[in-house]
Amino acid sequence: MKPTTNHPDFFDSKVLGHPAGLFVLFFTEMWERFSFYGMRVLLVNFLTMAVISYNPGWEWVPENATALFGTYAMLLYITPILGGIIADKLTGYNWAVVIGSILMTAGHASMAVETEASLYIGLGLIIIGTGFFKPNITSIISEMYKFLPEKKDGAYTIFYMGVNAGAFFGMLLCGYLAEKLGWAYGFGLAGVFMLLGTLQFWLAKPLFGSIGDVPKKREIEEVEDKQEDLSQDEKDQIKPNPFTTLDKVLIVLSAIIGLGYAVNDPLSKIANYDMFSWAETTSISGQYVVVLIGLGLFLFLVISRILRYAGVVRDRMIAFIIFAFFTVFFWMSFEQGASSLIIFARDFVDRTLSGDAAIAYNVINTALTVIPLLIITYVLYMLSKRSFAKIPGSNIVLAITFIGVWALTLWMLNRDWNTNAYEVSYQAVEKQVVEDGKPKLNDNGEPVYEYIPISENYQVQSGEKVVDKTVRLAETYELEVGQEIPMITKDNVNSTFGYLTPEKLKDTRLKAEQLNTDNKVIQAEVVEVLDNEIEIPVSWFSILNSFFIIAFASFFSKWFDSKYNPSATMKYGLGLIVMAVGFGVLAWGSHGLQEGMKVGMVWLILAYLFHTLGELCSSPIGLSYVSKLVPARMIALMFGMWYLAIAIGNKLAAVLGGEIENITEEYSLSTFFLIFTIVPAAFGLLIISLGKVVNKLMHGVK
């Protein structure tokens, strides 16, 4: 049956077996994910980076930075619930996507200004924009394929590749520009591609006909409610369950408390203004007292409503709530990739490669970047062949975006291949580390020392021991042996340094003078020119998740389609346990790490591998079980419940991730990662042990 739209040949213009419109959405989502993940990988790094450094940040403590990021991430999963309702009732999907895109573009532009006010405005605009954009672009796909449901799975698979491609290139290029040229370049680049993605989508509207229009313009059809293939007896059990007055009051109270906490957490830490100080006890912060009350009210609401349903429906909804509960703990651990793992990669991972290792990295990075870009460019070429006559403007904008991406990619690769390597010497003060009034000893019983670089403003005191230290620099500038150069730290632990150009040197001194603080400028001497040296950006490690998803997705798809397909609880349990193994790898790799030491990057690469494998194990559970376990008339509500669970998980991830420095200082870095090894592993074993109970509650749903 051919779909009825303003353009009867909608499904005749095909690219790789699917309508050309799908690939317009593919690229729209790709650029949105480019901008979102490009900004996401920068925010915590920017906020916590030292204010006097090679690439100055704001030097917030991690707790404050992650409190803000956690609220941002939390709200990103809540606003789409409202955005979907507004699109259904008022704007239609097309306008909702455009409104969301424009708001997000403005948000990224605001963040590029790098003032505190512009940061908050920018994050607010991105949150609201995501609410409009996120649910409605997928709704357009759903409406496109309502007459061809058998092709919907393939369509969403292609669309998901666009998500991962955008995340990959966004983190790679925005992160690279931000770390090499300055934060504003990274934030600004995210906004530029969001704007171009919006423009190409709007110019492609003739391709979609009436699909995604305002509701009153859509073709109204009666769609039979299959109610998830329930038997007649089961259907008889589904009775209306209207919201009571008490239900509505509990919803309002829970929402107010939840949003109040989301706002109050960063507000109390950054601005020292606590809206819930009145509820504070001797041992618990006021906001957590209020949150516990809100959580109790919400649980009462959910449980009381579920118990009003009869038989099969009640049991299946209980099973769904169990999965939502464990989802919180999955995302609480997985989303460390946006907070604590960023800080870990910057300050505790040796990201410098020399000689053959540097060449190997450049080869791998070139292949990782160029091959996917060639494939996506081919898709763009095929789309242009099929659709240029109908939507020339959209194709031209897409071509411009890809010329820009190719130019940036080639610039990045050329810069890395032509980076110069130097060994330089500088002077530092050697001080013995003291803990609790006693000299700190390493595992061998030897004293632990820290080395404080002697900056231009540092006054060496009588009795202080001055030693010569050496460090390697990876620079694009030509330096000579014996040349005196100024350099400054690139991290927060004085272990990685960068050469200061005359312009940067002037800016650094001026800023330090304005802040009345040490300028941290170190005078060094080039002692040797090395063959090859490369410093891997902090953001590079974040792209591994997207790469591993693309590499292993087909394997998991075949596994789950085979006779060895695990049960839902087994998949989710495996996801939690495999992810815990990734944190176990980090706990092992960082065990016994002493002051000034760093771990090899292989530990972080392995961690991202296991985290991704865990994600692929758990991903079949996700939103698919909303439609499988919940009656059709309640799907919208339970989608909201699922996103709420993810939102809570994101907030918990940021709150706990912000404790990385405190836990490391009090105990050890290994202890921090051990927490994220034990907790998800324990919950993984727990949900596996509940397998028979949950399967019984699911009443045959697979």
Side-chain angles (χ1 to χ4, degrees):
M1 180 178 178
K2 185 174 287 188
T4 305
T5 71
N6 291 344
H7 295 277
D9 62 343
F10 183 75
F11 276 76
D12 293 339
S13 272
K14 291 184 178 180
V15 178
L16 303 178
H18 286 269
L22 174 65
F23 291 91
V24 171
L25 300 178
F26 170 98
F27 287 116
T28 305
E29 178 69 8
M30 176 178 166
W31 299 129
E32 188 274 333
R33 291 291 88 182
F34 181 103
S35 64
F36 171 77
Y37 278 97
M39 188 279 290
R40 175 182 178 269
V41 80
L42 301 180
L43 187 57
V44 171
N45 193 6
F46 163 65
L47 292 175
T48 58
M49 188 64 213
V51 71
I52 303 295
S53 62
Y54 183 82
N55 193 16
W58 286 4
E59 207 169 332
W60 285 14
V61 292
E63 301 101 297
N64 291 5
T66 55
L68 179 64
F69 178 80
T71 290
Y72 164 73
M74 181 180 183
L75 294 177
L76 285 177
Y77 283 96
I78 294 176
T79 53
I81 301 171
L82 300 175
I85 294 171
I86 292 171
D88 280 334
K89 303 293 184 183
L90 298 172
T91 64
Y93 303 142
N94 282 334
W95 268 110
V97 169
V98 172
I99 291 168
S101 298
I102 292 171
L103 288 172
M104 286 187 286
T105 300
H108 289 293
S110 181
M111 292 184 69
V113 179
E114 292 187 35
T115 67
E116 198 158 345
S118 68
L119 173 71
Y120 300 140
I121 292 169
L123 291 176
L125 289 171
I126 293 171
I127 289 167
I128 298 169
T130 300
F132 279 100
F133 186 97
K134 192 177 181 70
N136 294 307
I137 193 161
T138 52
S139 296
I140 295 174
I141 296 177
S142 181
E143 192 173 342
M144 279 171 53
Y145 283 84
K146 64 184 176 185
F147 294 102
L148 291 171
E150 70 279 2
K151 293 184 73 69
K152 188 177 287 188
D153 284 349
Y156 276 110
T157 299
I158 292 171
F159 184 75
Y160 191 56
M161 289 300 105
V163 170
N164 281 286
F168 181 93
F169 285 106
M171 290 186 287
L172 182 74
L173 296 177
C174 292
Y176 192 90
L177 259 66
E179 291 183 48
K180 302 300 182 182
L181 300 184
W183 303 109
Y185 288 93
F187 290 129
L189 183 68
V192 167
F193 280 99
M194 186 71 253
L195 176 63
L196 292 172
T198 304
L199 188 58
Q200 70 90 26
F201 172 76
W202 182 250
L203 292 174
K205 194 178 185 303
L207 200 63
F208 291 92
S210 63
I211 289 176
D213 275 345
V214 178
K216 65 181 181 181
K217 295 182 181 178
R218 295 185 199 149
E219 182 181 359
I220 300 173
E221 296 182 283
E222 295 295 329
V223 181
E224 182 181 354
D225 181 7
K226 296 182 180 179
Q227 295 183 345
E228 312 308 323
D229 298 323
L230 296 177
S231 67
Q232 188 59 46
D233 289 340
E234 292 168 338
K235 289 178 182 178
D236 291 340
Q237 296 183 64
I238 302 179
K239 298 176 182 179
N241 186 8
F243 286 93
T244 65
T245 302
L246 179 59
D247 288 342
K248 294 175 182 176
V249 170
L250 291 175
I251 289 172
V252 172
L253 287 176
S254 300
I256 291 173
I257 290 172
L259 292 174
Y261 164 69
V263 173
N264 187 72
D265 186 42
L267 189 66
S268 62
K269 292 174 180 175
I270 298 168
N272 293 316
Y273 179 77
D274 190 348
M275 296 188 296
F276 300 123
S277 59
W278 52 269
E280 190 170 340
T281 68
T282 54
S283 56
I284 305 177
S285 168
Q287 67 177 3
Y288 295 122
V289 171
V290 175
V291 163
L292 289 173
I293 294 171
L295 183 61
L297 295 174
F298 183 73
L299 289 175
F300 177 81
L301 167 68
V302 172
I303 293 170
S304 63
R305 279 193 61 78
I306 289 176
L307 291 178
R308 289 179 223 158
Y309 292 102
V312 174
V313 174
R314 179 194 63 216
D315 290 349
R316 286 180 173 173
M317 291 185 73
I318 291 172
F320 171 79
I321 293 300
I322 290 173
F323 285 126
F325 173 77
F326 284 95
T327 291
V328 171
F329 295 95
F330 178 85
W331 291 105
M332 179 192 79
S333 302
F334 184 83
E335 282 299 318
Q336 293 304 310
S339 56
S340 64
L341 292 187
I342 297 292
I343 296 171
F344 175 70
R346 183 189 68 201
D347 294 342
F348 299 104
V349 175
D350 183 2
R351 295 178 286 108
T352 302
L353 294 175
S354 304
D356 292 341
I359 295 173
Y361 165 79
N362 279 327
V363 170
I364 293 169
N365 193 44
T366 300
L368 270 178
T369 309
V370 172
I371 293 173
L373 198 49
L374 284 171
I375 294 170
I376 299 172
T377 303
Y378 172 73
V379 173
L380 172 64
Y381 168 72
M382 295 297 294
L383 173 64
S384 181
K385 280 182 65 177
R386 294 288 186 179
S387 64
F388 192 88
K390 194 171 293 183
I391 50 169
S394 178
N395 280 276
I396 291 170
V397 172
L398 267 179
I400 291 171
T401 61
F402 269 83
I403 291 170
V405 170
W406 271 108
L408 285 171
T409 300
L410 294 176
W411 169 81
M412 176 190 74
L413 294 174
N414 178 69
R415 195 176 190 276
D416 282 350
W417 276 103
N418 291 286
T419 295
N420 301 312
Y422 307 97
E423 185 171 286
V424 302
S425 67
Y426 66 97
Q427 289 190 318
V429 172
E430 182 182 81
K431 288 189 176 181
Q432 190 170 355
V433 179
V434 177
E435 280 189 351
D436 300 325
K438 298 178 181 179
K440 184 176 180 180
L441 304 178
N442 61 22
D443 293 340
N444 298 322
E446 300 167 339
V448 176
Y449 294 94
E450 64 176 337
Y451 296 91
I452 303 172
I454 298 176
S455 68
E456 290 181 340
N457 300 134
Y458 189 93
Q459 298 295 322
V460 179
Q461 302 298 313
S462 175
E464 287 186 328
K465 184 179 179 181
V466 177
V467 297
D468 290 326
K469 300 285 291 182
T470 60
V471 69
R472 292 186 172 188
L473 301 183
E475 296 291 347
T476 56
Y477 304 101
E478 294 284 347
L479 304 175
E480 298 177 352
V481 173
Q483 183 177 347
E484 297 282 340
I485 63 167
M487 67 178 190
I488 197 168
T489 182
K490 280 187 172 182
D491 55 28
N492 286 5
V493 291
N494 293 325
S495 62
T496 309
F497 297 91
Y499 164 68
L500 287 172
T501 63
E503 294 78 11
K504 275 201 167 190
L505 177 61
K506 181 180 178 181
D507 291 341
T508 301
R509 286 171 173 164
L510 180 60
K511 179 172 254 187
E513 194 175 301
Q514 291 170 344
L515 296 173
N516 193 28
T517 188
D518 186 351
N519 64 27
K520 297 183 182 179
V521 175
I522 304 158
Q523 294 302 321
E525 180 182 350
V526 180
V527 295
E528 186 178 356
V529 178
L530 305 170
D531 290 336
N532 288 288
E533 187 96 1
I534 189 76
E535 181 188 308
I536 300 176
V538 172
S539 55
W540 184 86
F541 296 95
S542 297
I543 73 171
L544 296 174
N545 176 244
S546 296
F547 170 72
F548 288 140
I549 284 177
I550 295 168
F552 291 102
S554 61
F555 167 78
F556 279 84
S557 177
K558 290 176 182 176
W559 177 21
F560 295 154
D561 285 338
S562 73
K563 62 181 180 179
Y564 302 106
N565 182 27
S567 66
T569 52
M570 181 60 72
K571 287 174 185 171
Y572 219 83
L574 284 175
L576 284 161
I577 291 168
V578 172
M579 182 176 59
V581 171
F583 284 105
V585 166
L586 292 176
W588 185 15
S590 59
H591 179 68
L593 194 66
Q594 301 296 330
E595 197 84 28
M597 294 174 59
K598 295 200 174 190
V599 302
M601 64 183 71
V602 66
W603 300 104
L604 189 54
I605 293 171
L606 286 172
Y608 273 108
L609 171 62
F610 284 111
H611 292 175
T612 305
L613 296 179
E615 181 186 9
L616 288 169
C617 283
S618 302
S619 59
I621 304 299
L623 296 174
S624 65
Y625 277 80
V626 177
S627 58
K628 290 179 179 180
L629 293 171
V630 178
R633 61 190 175 84
M634 292 183 286
I635 282 179
L637 174 65
M638 301 316 282
F639 265 129
M641 288 282 291
W642 189 263
Y643 280 125
L644 179 61
I646 298 175
I648 293 171
N650 273 263
K651 182 60 181 176
L652 283 175
V655 169
L656 294 174
E659 296 297 317
I660 182 171
E661 287 189 358
N662 294 334
I663 293 174
T664 299
E665 186 176 334
E666 184 72 21
Y667 301 99
S668 68
L669 189 59
S670 183
T671 302
F672 175 81
F673 290 124
L674 202 57
I675 294 170
F676 294 99
T677 304
I678 295 171
V679 173
F683 278 98
L685 292 172
L686 178 58
I687 193 171
I688 289 173
S689 71
L690 293 174
K692 290 184 179 180
V693 174
V694 174
N695 288 340
K696 186 177 180 181
L697 290 169
M698 290 169 70
H699 290 279
V701 170
K702 301 295 183 183

